[in-house]
Amino acid sequence: MMELEGEKPNYGEPRKYDPTFKGPIYNRGCTDIVCCIFFIICILGYVAVGILAWSQGDPRKVIYPTDSRGQFCGQAGTPLETKPLLFYFNIMKCASPMVLLEFQCPTTQMCVEKCPDKFMTLLKAYANKEDFKYYKNFCKEGLEGLTVTQILSSGLCPAMLTPSKPFTRRCFPALDQKKGGEITVGNNSKFDDGEGNIRDAKDLVAGVKNATVVIEARQVVMKIFEDYTQSWYWILIGLVIAMLISLLFIVLLRFLAGIMVWVMIVMVILVIGYGIFHCSMEYVSLKSEAGSNVTLKDLGFQTDFSVYLHIRQTWLAFIIILAIVEVVIILLLIFLRNRILIAIALIKEASRAIGYVMSALFYPLFTFALLSIVIAYWAVTAVFLSTSNQPIYKVFNDTACDHSRKICEPANFSTSSMKAECPDSKCLFAFYGGETVYHKYLIGLQFYNVFLFFWCANFVTALGQMTLAGAFASYYWALVKPDDMPAFPIFSSLGRSLRYHTGSLAFGSLILSIIQIIRVLLEYIDHKLQGTQNKCTKFLLCCLKCCFWCLEKFIKFINRNAYIMVAIYGKNFCTSAKDAFFLLMRNMIRVAVLDKVTDFLLFLGKLLIVGLVGIFAFFFFSGRVKAFENTAPNLHYYWVPILTVVVGSYLIAHGFFSVYAMCVDTLFLCFCEDLERNDGSLARPYYMSASLHDILLGNKAVEETEEPTQSSTHQPDDQDVQLKQ
């Protein structure tokens, strides 16, 4: 066994022997009370923001398209219930650059039952009774007794109708492209615009493109939502399989830790190797397929991700990435083989601890439930806040007008001075906004919602870490196991954490949340300045993002060990963080050798579970296995359920393996404390087991120890217990 002892830098005073210390202190007081009170006040404010958002918001604005009067098309229980589609009077006006600035076409929009399916101009339809009856379906009311000129000047009807198809509940021209590249609409390359002009069908392209620029994302979201409705039960089955595999793996790890770790390592290498083989086969099979040699740069961004799977460069990228991962893992296994043996022994010791605290395996379910509540509350509040604006109407016109794009009131616009000065102008719905105090500070409320989401999510995670740390610490510091342990270690630790250390949990999670919100702001600034920033600004933003990413990782590491010290000693957060940091610095070599290697092995376990479930999901949802062709659901994007299953599987595996990771970290910190407090003599025996002593100190350390000490490295017998007491 390799020697792990090294020269210890002077990081604070080591712990001194205390005969009264017997593990987690039960007689403790409340810590960080100020932060606890502040956290409670912020939570009450968060609830108030939610109530305010729910009273002002209207999610229908996200679901239904809105006509020029601000009414929702297709909304149940309204006169427009039977008119679910939005029709544009003149789609070519959507080619205006103002569409990209104001997200609204400067043309009248109305709700209709179905889109027009044939060419027709108002002038020709007016002369035919049947045609005009059909034309009225796309006009406003009040046409009786009016001439064509009066109808057009009043803006009651569109000048023409073009064959259209519904797209995200909106009527867009049914454009097509012939083999020669000629654009057609309704099989015609030209059309009458209703004003006596014969125009090319390609003139409609710009209008359609700008009109869809705002709703393309919504269209993708709707398709993804439809895919979820078709595949949710299969996704659930995939996640259940991931949970069962994770649970089976953890149970086997409890009894066969050494064998399971090596099986896991071999299987990870084999799974990645199979991935490389499959990607290579796909790469070769696309060699003869037309258009497969297009580069990803030339293809650009496509909402249908399946398009990328028909490009050879995509599979080549997969091959390179998987090959790099495979080589890195193999090299790490070769160079860290001795340390991996030690880490496996440490995992065995953690398995023994979990054997005494089996309820810890199910605690991640409680954490997952709390996180689900936090995420759901944040998401619902965000939707209601974003839809709590009032409809804003603006003046739109074809000719020059001083009142263009000014706010107007549609109820009295026809008699207003704006209409008198600009006869051809219209007062149309522009967007949702508001001028009240609530609307002015709406962006601040959204920021508060995001910040409290980070704080609450980090608090729930911290609560889980402290609860598990307290339970495993009670195992380590018990002389006689399980007699000296609490009857229910998890519930006992959870009660202590909530009763005495809510303030410490809130303090640590607050620091982490501030760093995370700064990272979000940096990403937002980077997105806003994209395209206009110079190289110096770009370099500065990259440096800041990198620094805060590193800082976040460091704070997570400090918080995790601080919560362990709080669970053991019951001190405040700052004192516990300082003690944990100095203790780790005094044992820096052991931290690097054991703790991180163990984390690497547990990460391989998560990678294995995700790989197995991900491969199964890929072959099932993509329909590449004949046995599943008729069973798999028909989807727009089969990558949607695959990604959902992969991400969900990782979260499930992470939940189970986080118990092991927390157990290893707690045992390691307790071991370092044990070495400083005790010397292994009969009067001051180590609390660690003989196996743990051999793992972390090595055989050489045992040989150098005196004879009484050598016998005391084992778990103390009854005489040792009496001396200790």
Side-chain angles (χ1 to χ4, degrees):
M1 195 70 67
M2 65 179 295
E3 176 64 49
L4 299 179
E5 288 290 326
E7 183 180 350
K8 297 182 180 180
N10 185 19
Y11 289 103
E13 290 294 328
R15 295 281 183 183
K16 295 181 179 180
Y17 173 68
D18 182 3
T20 62
F21 179 76
K22 299 179 181 180
I25 297 172
Y26 293 92
N27 186 19
R28 59 179 70 194
C30 296
T31 56
D32 298 298
I33 299 175
V34 174
C35 197
C36 177
I37 296 173
F38 181 62
F39 180 64
I40 293 173
I41 293 173
C42 290
I43 291 295
L44 293 176
Y46 197 23
V47 173
V49 169
I51 294 173
L52 183 62
W54 299 338
S55 63
Q56 299 288 330
D58 189 355
R60 295 175 301 175
K61 297 171 184 176
V62 177
I63 302 172
Y64 301 105
T66 309
D67 66 6
S68 296
R69 297 180 180 178
Q71 298 173 316
F72 301 115
C73 299
Q75 182 187 349
T78 66
L80 299 178
E81 182 177 2
T82 59
K83 298 180 178 182
L85 304 175
L86 187 68
F87 171 71
Y88 297 89
F89 271 29
N90 188 354
I91 191 67
M92 288 184 290
K93 289 188 176 180
C94 295
S96 168
M98 294 304 295
V99 175
L100 302 178
L101 298 176
E102 301 186 354
F103 303 104
Q104 185 70 10
C105 287
T107 184
T108 303
Q109 302 162 43
M110 65 177 295
C111 302
V112 296
E113 291 184 20
K114 59 181 181 179
C115 299
D117 55 6
K118 51 188 173 181
F119 272 116
M120 193 174 292
T121 63
L122 177 61
L123 186 62
K124 293 180 180 179
Y126 192 80
N128 187 298
K129 187 176 181 180
E130 289 298 321
D131 289 345
F132 191 57
K133 182 180 179 180
Y134 174 80
Y135 208 96
K136 284 181 179 179
N137 293 321
F138 307 97
C139 297
K140 298 179 181 179
E141 298 177 353
L143 300 178
E144 291 75 11
L146 298 179
T147 63
V148 174
T149 305
Q150 290 172 329
I151 292 173
L152 289 176
S153 61
S154 302
L156 299 177
C157 287
M160 65 167 180
L161 298 179
T162 59
S164 304
K165 292 181 180 179
F167 178 73
T168 63
R169 298 192 179 187
R170 290 161 174 82
C171 295
F172 291 113
L175 297 174
D176 198 5
Q177 188 172 12
K178 293 183 178 181
K179 289 185 177 180
E182 185 180 22
I183 303 295
T184 62
V185 56
N187 295 323
N188 296 313
S189 59
K190 299 188 181 291
F191 66 94
D192 188 340
D193 66 359
E195 298 177 359
N197 302 317
I198 303 299
R199 305 184 63 168
D200 292 331
K202 64 182 181 181
D203 293 341
L204 295 168
V205 174
V208 172
K209 185 177 180 180
N210 271 358
T212 57
V213 71
V214 181
I215 61 173
E216 278 186 353
R218 181 181 294 179
Q219 176 239 352
V220 174
V221 170
M222 292 302 294
K223 285 187 176 181
I224 290 175
F225 179 76
E226 290 175 9
D227 287 344
Y228 277 128
T229 59
Q230 294 291 326
S231 61
W232 66 269
Y233 45 93
W234 293 111
I235 293 174
L236 196 60
I237 291 173
L239 296 179
V240 170
I241 292 174
M243 185 180 69
L244 293 177
I245 294 176
S246 301
L247 188 60
L248 177 63
F249 199 92
I250 290 295
V251 172
L252 291 176
L253 203 62
R254 163 68 181 89
F255 299 101
L256 303 169
I259 298 175
M260 286 304 299
V261 169
W262 285 114
V263 169
M264 173 186 69
I265 292 172
V266 173
M267 288 191 68
V268 167
I269 295 174
L270 291 177
V271 167
I272 297 176
Y274 174 77
I276 295 173
F277 171 76
H278 178 77
C279 293
S280 301
M281 295 299 294
E282 291 287 346
Y283 179 78
V284 174
S285 65
L286 289 173
K287 186 176 182 180
S288 59
E289 188 173 316
S292 62
N293 289 320
V294 177
T295 63
L296 295 174
K297 183 178 180 181
D298 294 336
L299 184 63
F301 177 76
Q302 301 291 327
T303 54
D304 185 1
F305 286 4
S306 61
V307 173
Y308 295 108
L309 298 181
H310 296 281
I311 306 299
R312 296 187 73 199
Q313 200 175 77
T314 303
W315 295 104
L316 180 62
F318 288 158
I319 293 171
I320 294 172
I321 293 171
L322 290 176
I324 292 173
V325 172
E326 182 91 322
V327 170
V328 168
I329 290 177
I330 292 174
L331 289 177
L332 285 174
L333 293 175
I334 292 173
F335 289 107
L336 299 177
R337 58 189 183 278
N338 291 329
R339 296 177 181 181
I340 287 174
L341 293 174
I342 304 174
I344 290 173
L346 188 58
I347 291 176
K348 287 182 181 179
E349 186 64 25
S351 297
R352 295 191 191 96
I354 292 175
Y356 286 100
V357 194
M358 287 297 292
S359 57
L361 291 176
F362 302 97
Y363 186 84
L365 298 177
F366 177 67
T367 301
F368 176 76
L370 291 180
L371 284 175
S372 299
I373 294 173
V374 171
I375 294 172
Y377 185 87
W378 163 77
V380 172
T381 303
V383 169
F384 275 87
L385 281 173
S386 61
T387 58
S388 59
N389 288 314
Q390 298 172 346
I392 300 297
Y393 300 87
K394 287 191 175 184
V395 177
F396 292 93
N397 59 291
D398 296 325
T399 59
C401 176
D402 293 336
H403 302 290
S404 179
R405 281 17 180 217
K406 289 185 178 179
I407 296 176
C408 58
E409 288 293 335
N412 58 3
F413 182 73
S414 58
T415 59
S416 66
S417 59
M418 293 182 181
K419 182 67 174 178
E421 295 177 19
C422 305
D424 65 336
S425 63
K426 302 179 185 67
C427 185
L428 303 178
F429 168 78
F431 55 86
Y432 288 101
E435 298 296 330
T436 65
V437 176
Y438 170 74
H439 294 102
K440 286 181 180 179
Y441 292 98
L442 197 56
I443 186 67
L445 295 177
Q446 284 282 24
F447 178 82
Y448 186 78
N449 182 37
V450 173
F451 180 72
L452 262 292
F453 163 71
F454 281 125
W455 197 358
C456 292
N458 289 325
F459 180 87
V460 170
T461 304
L463 177 62
Q465 292 175 347
M466 187 178 291
T467 300
L468 292 174
F472 293 128
S474 65
Y475 158 83
Y476 184 93
W477 296 107
L479 275 173
V480 181
K481 302 173 177 59
D483 296 344
D484 291 347
M485 294 174 59
F488 302 99
I490 286 290
F491 294 104
S492 176
S493 180
L494 177 61
R496 287 198 306 270
S497 300
L498 289 175
R499 181 179 178 182
Y500 298 110
H501 307 303
T502 300
S504 297
L505 293 170
F507 192 10
S509 54
L510 174 63
I511 297 172
L512 184 58
S513 301
I514 292 173
I515 295 171
Q516 289 173 337
I517 204 70
I518 292 174
R519 289 191 63 201
V520 170
L521 290 175
L522 288 174
E523 292 291 343
Y524 176 77
I525 293 171
D526 188 29
H527 176 73
K528 283 294 183 182
L529 296 179
Q530 215 163 28
T532 60
Q533 57 188 355
N534 55 36
K535 291 184 178 180
C536 182
T537 306
K538 188 175 182 179
F539 174 76
L540 181 61
L541 278 173
C542 286
C543 290
L544 287 173
K545 288 194 290 185
C546 180
C547 290
F548 277 97
W549 180 84
C550 295
L551 182 60
E552 181 184 355
K553 296 298 180 184
F554 177 73
I555 292 297
K556 282 183 177 180
F557 175 75
I558 291 296
N559 283 7
R560 185 182 181 90
N561 290 283
Y563 296 142
I564 296 174
M565 300 299 281
V566 172
I568 297 174
Y569 295 104
K571 296 181 180 179
N572 62 54
F573 177 81
C574 291
T575 302
S576 300
K578 181 195 72 174
D579 292 343
F581 180 75
F582 284 164
L583 181 62
L584 292 172
M585 288 299 101
R586 292 195 295 269
N587 297 270
M588 191 182 306
I589 297 178
R590 292 194 184 99
V591 173
V593 170
L594 296 176
D595 203 33
K596 295 307 151 191
V597 175
T598 307
D599 289 343
F600 171 69
L601 292 179
L602 295 178
F603 173 74
L604 289 183
K606 290 182 270 187
L607 200 64
L608 174 62
I609 293 171
V610 171
L612 291 174
V613 178
I615 290 174
F616 173 77
F618 174 76
F619 283 113
F620 179 80
F621 289 110
S622 63
R624 293 175 182 252
V625 179
K626 292 184 178 180
F628 298 140
E629 278 183 343
N630 298 325
T631 309
N634 204 359
L635 305 171
H636 297 289
Y637 310 122
Y638 67 80
W639 52 264
V640 170
I642 294 175
L643 284 181
T644 305
V645 170
V646 167
V647 173
S649 300
Y650 179 80
L651 293 176
I652 291 171
H654 177 74
F656 282 101
F657 279 91
S658 65
V659 176
Y660 258 89
M662 200 67 204
C663 182
V664 169
D665 289 346
T666 304
L667 293 180
F668 180 77
L669 220 58
C670 291
F671 163 79
C672 295
E673 286 276 306
D674 196 7
L675 279 183
E676 293 185 353
R677 286 181 173 276
N678 304 300
D679 56 11
S681 64
L682 291 176
R684 295 165 57 185
Y686 289 130
Y687 280 82
M688 71 188 79
S689 63
S691 58
L692 187 61
H693 183 279
D694 293 341
I695 293 167
L696 298 177
L697 291 181
N699 294 331
K700 186 177 179 181
V702 177
E703 293 171 0
E704 292 175 353
T705 311
E706 294 180 4
E707 191 67 23
T709 306
Q710 195 174 33
S711 63
S712 65
T713 57
H714 296 276
Q715 193 67 25
D717 54 19
D718 294 338
Q719 183 181 3
D720 295 336
V721 174
Q722 292 175 3
L723 287 171
K724 185 71 177 177
Q725 292 174 344

